[in-house]
Structure formats: structure tokens, C-alpha cells
Amino acid sequence: ATDRAIAMLNRVRISDPVSVMQRYPHQLSGGMQQRVAIAMALANDPSMLILDEPTTGLDATVEAEVLDLIAQLRQELSASILFISHNLAVVSNMCDRVGVLYAGMLVEEGPTEVVFNDPRHPYTVALLRCLPRGGQRKDQGRLDTIPGFLPGIGVDIKGCAFADRCALADDRCRSELPPLYDLGGRLSRCFHHDKAQALPRATPSDVAPVPRAAAAPVLRVTGLNKTYASHGHA
Ligand code: SF4
């Protein structure tokens, strides 16, 4: 069993597996804990690996290392990977296909590039409008927001679960559950999937010009020092 454990830890690029096995979980870094968890998941040679928010709580550098490891394992394993994340940038980098869930229901599914570039469900459209992008400045245009809240758990929803937050909703949306429409290699659970991208913004994109006085620094500090106490000494 030890040899098998060492092999699994080697597989997730842990260079000193024996020392890792001699430590408690709280003695390992977040990135190392994730590697160990992935090694445990691989122990039975699964045909599917489910990674639920595998990089939550990791700093950006360690997140990049863990994602890199997952990408390498994906090449080595003959297993499918179901990657669950709220991080759309990570999803767009890691996944071949993406499924968008709302209130526990699949509302859109398709090849990642297609869904990100040509979303056909208002929720996906709204989500992508909330996403900061490289080169975008907040004095040049606002990100959008999604008004309202998710329906409460256990609430009986008659029609589309997104209707209360959707500016395209009509009477049919509020009374009938939309089916998953097959749009040729992709799916959308929206009666109005053909005009999803016409969803009105919830937040105007225009930004009022910043008055000159407001553009000046609010606070200016010079000669500031901070000392951290260590072992009882300042
Ligand atoms: S079915 Fe209606 S309420 Fe639901 S997302 Fe489509 S347009 Fe909006």
C-alpha cells in the first residue's frame, strides 16, 4: 500500500512523498493538500475525475501550478474530468465543453469557445458581462451586474428559474419550464435563445466623466513604516 501511495504522490509531482505521508494535513500547504487529494482520487484509476473548485483558496501562483498539473494529468489519464468552478477564466482555459448551471439546473451547454463567444442563454450572457477582461478600465465602461437573487432552496418554481432576474422574461417564461433546446451541438434552456444576446444591461455601461477634483489623490502618505513583531520582540 505504501508503494502504491508513493507512486500516486509521484504522479502528482510530489518530489518527497515519504515526508509528505509523515505529516498531518494541517502541516501541508494548500497546494500540497490539493495534490494529495488529487493523488487519492487517482488511486483507483477512475474513468471520471470530479474536481469541485480545486483551486479555491489558493493564491494565484499555486493555482496556476495545480491547473498545470490537472492539464498534464488530463493528457496522461484515459479519464474524463468534470471541472466545477465559479472562475470563468479558469473554465475557459481548462475545459473542452462547458455546462452553465442556474438554481441547480443546466441552462446552457456546448463547446467552451462557442458558449463563451456566442452565449445563447440570458444567464450566460449576463455572467460574461460581469467578467473583468484584460485591458478594460473602469473609467471607460462599467461591468454589468445581474439584478436580484437566486430563488430560495425548496421554493416551488413554476416557469423558468431565471425569470425574476431576466429582462427578456414574458408570461410564458413565468408559467412554463423551458425545455433544453438543441441548437446543433449545443443546448440552451431558454424560449428566447435566439435573442439572448439582446438582453438589456442591468447597469448602464457609460461612465460619468470623473470631475477634476475627484481625480486628485484622496490620501497621500510619506515616510510610513510598519514593523511586524516576531517571537515577542518588536
Ligand atoms: S426562458 Fe424567458 S425568463 Fe428564462 S432565460 Fe429565457 S427569456 Fe429569460
Side-chain angles (χ1 to χ4, degrees):
T2 305
D3 288 348
R4 177 94 174 130
I6 290 173
M8 286 297 124
L9 293 175
N10 280 330
R11 197 168 195 185
V12 294
R13 300 1 176 214
I14 291 178
S15 55
D16 190 0
V18 175
S19 120
V20 166
M21 287 193 294
Q22 286 167 346
R23 283 185 249 169
Y24 288 109
H26 71 274
Q27 294 172 316
L28 300 173
S29 67
M32 195 60 82
Q33 287 176 2
Q34 280 301 39
R35 284 171 193 268
V36 172
I38 293 171
M40 288 163 67
L42 296 178
N44 260 350
D45 292 325
S47 52
M48 174 180 261
L49 190 59
I50 300 176
L51 300 172
D52 189 353
E53 300 280 9
T55 57
T56 301
L58 302 180
D59 66 47
T61 311
V62 180
E63 177 184 61
E65 285 173 14
V66 171
L67 292 176
D68 199 35
L69 170 68
I70 293 168
Q72 289 172 30
L73 289 173
R74 194 174 153 212
Q75 304 293 328
E76 294 169 18
L77 300 168
S78 54
S80 304
I81 295 183
L82 178 61
F83 193 94
I84 301 168
S85 178
H86 285 87
N87 188 328
L88 299 186
V90 169
V91 169
S92 75
N93 282 333
M94 295 294 292
C95 304
D96 295 329
R97 294 187 76 87
V98 61
V100 181
L101 287 118
Y102 183 77
M105 200 173 275
L106 186 70
V107 295
E108 179 153 14
E109 197 274 340
T112 305
E113 209 181 318
V114 173
V115 171
F116 272 68
N117 291 325
D118 181 24
R120 295 296 183 85
H121 191 282
Y123 179 53
T124 318
V125 171
L127 269 184
L128 291 169
R129 285 185 190 161
C130 300
L131 193 65
R133 290 167 199 273
Q136 203 173 1
R137 287 172 37 169
K138 62 182 176 183
D139 58 353
Q140 293 170 342
R142 289 192 180 107
L143 295 176
D144 204 2
T145 52
I146 304 178
F149 299 95
L150 274 167
I153 294 171
V155 170
D156 191 19
I157 303 166
K158 254 194 171 171
C160 172
F162 192 55
D164 283 350
R165 309 175 76 182
C166 179
L168 298 178
D170 57 18
D171 289 346
R172 187 185 183 197
C173 300
R174 292 187 192 90
S175 59
E176 221 180 292
L177 177 67
L180 266 178
Y181 290 94
D182 186 343
L183 309 179
R186 59 184 306 191
L187 304 167
S188 170
R189 190 185 292 281
C190 177
F191 292 126
H192 303 301
H193 52 79
D194 52 339
K195 54 178 181 186
Q197 288 169 34
L199 178 80
R201 287 177 61 101
T203 309
S205 62
D206 56 314
V207 177
V210 182
R212 276 193 158 276
V218 178
L219 178 70
R220 201 188 297 273
V221 179
T222 52
L224 178 70
N225 289 299
K226 171 78 179 116
T227 305
Y228 291 92
S230 169
H231 305 298
H233 302 291

